[in-house]
Amino acid sequence: MVARLIDGKALAAQLRAGVAEDAARFRERHHRAAGLHVVLVGEDPASVIYTRNKEKAAAKVGIAGQLHRLPEDVSEAALLEQVGALNADDAVDGLLVQLPLPDHIDPNRVVDAISPSKDVDGFHPMNTGLLSTGRPGLVACTPRGIMHLIAQTGLDLKGARAVIVGRSNIVGKPMAQLLLAQHATVTLCHSRTRDLPAVCRDADLLVVAVGQAQMVKGDWIKPGAVVIDVGTNRLEGRKLVGDVDTESAKEHAGWITPVPGGVGPMTITCLLENTLIAARRRLADLD
């Protein structure tokens, strides 16, 4: 068996075309573009790249993206004041503060300060609570993107055994809630899970988000399973790899996401989707 690749780049391009159409309709109805505002603190190289990519992606689909750059030594109070001003600005439909933040700033206080109706990252406790109770809210972008990728495989999630390796608030926990809502039987694994390879071998769907390069080997995977590799890790020589050993996994899986080109392109795409959802909900543009 050789796994089929789930092409996140192609799917992201398809979805962004739909977002562009929705953005154009929004402009026609409301005489302004939907607004996505991103706050960046400091000069972390990865964060600089991520925020620049978000701004460019927004512009390409007709969303008014704006980046607000603050110095590394900005006080927590000043950052919270900036968040409050953007919350109050009616031209801002989606708002996120790029993580990680400098050590002197409490990220929980910052996330909690963002208006839940503008929280396009889906990290605010109100949105995570709505997700856990099956009510509509803004959903974290990476898990939302993964659900799009799973749909491409044709896997029937009803009754399927889904194993998630990694219990972060950003991926693992919201991923579990989304899969439960589709009637999958979900196991959420972590560093203290006993006999992790055996648990993984029972999965019809395996989602791996642990940040350890090539940790999951091919013989951990049930024949024919769908494997979603969320990891992005740099090896010596700068090669980018996932949390799954892709070459050995291909011999067992039915479907697998590549790294790069799998989950990554979907995350920004879903951020753009969330911005349009937030904009329309705020203006009761629900049809």
Side-chain angles (χ1 to χ4, degrees), residues 48-59:
V48 169
I49 292 170
Y50 294 152
T51 52
R52 185 183 300 130
N53 288 343
K54 289 168 184 175
E55 190 176 25
K56 289 180 179 177

Side-chain angles (χ1 to χ4, degrees), residues 201-218:
R201 287 187 200 105
D202 198 35
D204 303 304
L205 168 67
L206 180 61
V207 180
V208 187
V210 291
Q212 294 186 34
Q214 300 176 320
M215 185 188 81
V216 173
K217 309 302 181 185

Side-chain angles (χ1 to χ4, degrees), residues 79-102:
L79 174 56
L80 292 173
E81 184 178 353
Q82 174 75 82
V83 169
L86 294 170
N87 282 339
D89 188 341
D90 283 339
V92 178
D93 299 294
L95 170 59
L96 67 92
V97 177
Q98 184 67 41
L99 302 177
L101 290 167

Side-chain angles (χ1 to χ4, degrees), residues 55-72:
E55 190 176 25
K56 289 180 179 177
K60 285 182 179 179
V61 298
I63 291 173
Q66 185 172 343
L67 177 61
H68 303 263
R69 303 188 71 155
L70 299 175
E72 180 85 16

